[in-house]
Amino acid sequence: MVKLEKILADRGYTFSDLAQDSGISEATLRGINKKPVEKWKISYVKALANLLENDISEAFSEILKVENYDEDLGKYNLESRRYIGSKAKLANWIVEKIQEETEGDSFLDLFGGTGIVTKSVLPFFEKVAINDFLYSNNIIYKAFFGPENYNYQKLLDIMQSFQSLKTRSVDDEYFSKSYGGKYFSFHDAEIIGEIRQSIENNKKINDREKSILIASLIYSADKVSNTVGHYEAYRKNQNIPDRFKFELIKPVDSENKEISIYREDANTLVRNTSADIVFVDPPYNSRQYSRFYHLLEVLTKWEKPQLTGVAMKPPVENISEYCKTSAPEAFDDLVKNISAKYIVVTYNNTYTSKSSSSQNKITQSQIIDSLNRVGTTKIYETDHKFFNAGKTEFANHKEFLFITKVK
């Protein structure tokens, strides 16, 4: 949403309401929504003032406040996070091939991860669905893509109150004792816990606003965490500086799109839904994402489980079959139960990696065999820098894209 749309939404109105009240066409209103205030006709400002029961000066003040605010709202884009297997650098290539080789109006991202592929295809599909088993990813999708309206000014006010926090008053010491001096400084961990509990206690925010605040906390915390980009371990630093600052995310413009958000096992979900194009990017090696991002899962769910081990992990849950030796069978079961015109699969050639944790549990030939049983497959490839934890060293790393036209 931009200026006019935001002002209306904050007051519970729509373009249709203003059009009916003012006699100005809805198409015209949508056009001025994207124009700077100096290009607005005075009649538009008068119409807005009349609907909001403001005088002209108050209406101008409201418009200018939002125009200035738009520049400052949100520091973090969807892709502004560290995540193993992120498709941020590959998204344009993937979307280009999907546009060239497929057709349809609906798209399902079965293993959403960062959500960057969904964001990239959003302009080209009327119906978009995204799924991931992690609670943290699910809340991020609701924050960035959710259909519910949210109040900009309310979120700004909350952000400013969070930024002024100096100590805790509503939270206990769970987060600071668990993660302080490890993943964050003690003070930063205390403030992060305080913010999360404050969000939980706030009964004046709707579900979308709560999701945006939690997602913003995830991005803000992840930005300064004392890690190499995941939470399998932390750097053994003696003095971790205070660096945390709460900043808002920038939700994606999903106006006029039908978006569905799931947190289900992919093999179960495909038996209950369909799409013209189904995008498949499962984990291929033994790295369990629920364990790699356990801290973000704890921060999202906020159930404060007992933590164990040096890495301070919660009890095991959300274990993926795609990270086990049974992965080929799981993939074959997935593919044969997908209801789609096209199946699009990404894959990288880490199967010969020296690191056991990096070795793929499914070979390229197994993927092709499964896909060819349900349709005709085209294969594309591109060079791509791989994730390196220090043990994986090999040249000519490739990312493959399989596009199968289903029989």
Side-chain angles (χ1 to χ4, degrees), residues 121-188:
V121 303
L122 195 58
F124 309 109
F125 294 92
E126 297 302 316
K127 297 180 180 180
V128 177
I130 184 170
N131 175 66
D132 198 280
F133 216 31
L134 295 191
Y135 290 91
S136 51
N137 286 345
N138 182 259
I139 206 77
I140 285 170
Y141 304 156
K142 290 178 178 178
F144 279 97
F145 301 119
E148 189 175 13
N149 287 330
Y150 54 91
N151 187 309
Y152 284 77
Q153 189 59 49
K154 184 194 298 184
L155 293 174
L156 269 184
D157 292 343
I158 293 172
M159 179 191 75
Q160 291 167 359
S161 70
F162 287 167
Q163 289 178 348
S164 66
L165 287 173
K166 302 300 181 184
T167 186
R168 62 181 178 83
S169 60
V170 299
D171 188 36
D172 56 24
E173 295 181 306
Y174 174 83
F175 200 87
S176 58
K177 282 189 173 181
S178 299
Y179 303 117
K182 301 178 182 74
Y183 294 100
F184 308 97
S185 71
F186 282 103
H187 178 262
D188 282 354

Side-chain angles (χ1 to χ4, degrees), residues 145-300:
F145 301 119
E148 189 175 13
N149 287 330
Y150 54 91
N151 187 309
Y152 284 77
Q153 189 59 49
K154 184 194 298 184
L155 293 174
L156 269 184
D157 292 343
I158 293 172
M159 179 191 75
Q160 291 167 359
S161 70
F162 287 167
Q163 289 178 348
S164 66
L165 287 173
K166 302 300 181 184
T167 186
R168 62 181 178 83
S169 60
V170 299
D171 188 36
D172 56 24
E173 295 181 306
Y174 174 83
F175 200 87
S176 58
K177 282 189 173 181
S178 299
Y179 303 117
K182 301 178 182 74
Y183 294 100
F184 308 97
S185 71
F186 282 103
H187 178 262
D188 282 354
E190 185 176 60
I191 298 304
I192 292 169
E194 178 73 6
I195 289 174
R196 183 62 185 89
Q197 189 59 50
S198 297
I199 296 171
E200 201 67 19
N201 293 348
N202 194 332
K203 305 305 180 185
K204 297 181 180 181
I205 53 177
N206 63 31
D207 289 341
R208 181 79 185 282
E209 290 162 351
K210 182 176 181 178
S211 296
I212 290 172
L213 291 172
I214 295 174
S216 298
L217 182 59
I218 289 172
Y219 274 72
S220 299
D222 189 60
K223 177 73 173 179
V224 301
S225 63
N226 180 41
T227 69
V228 296
H230 56 75
Y231 298 85
E232 182 67 16
Y234 51 85
R235 294 188 178 98
K236 302 301 189 292
N237 294 342
Q238 295 299 315
N239 297 302
I240 305 173
D242 296 341
R243 299 192 300 143
F244 174 79
K245 182 179 181 181
F246 182 87
E247 300 278 4
L248 291 171
I249 62 165
K250 297 178 181 178
V252 172
D253 182 5
S254 56
E255 184 182 9
N256 299 323
K257 301 292 182 178
E258 184 178 327
I259 298 180
S260 301
I261 299 170
Y262 301 99
R263 196 196 68 80
E264 294 187 26
D265 176 85
N267 287 56
T268 301
L269 180 61
V270 295
R271 287 168 161 82
N272 301 308
T273 190
S274 63
D276 293 328
I277 295 93
V278 173
F279 180 72
V280 181
D281 181 34
Y284 286 112
N285 52 50
S286 64
R287 298 190 180 101
Q288 291 283 351
Y289 280 67
S290 62
R291 308 309 281 160
F292 261 40
Y293 298 98
H294 61 89
L295 187 150
L296 303 184
E297 292 290 274
V298 169
L299 192 60
T300 301

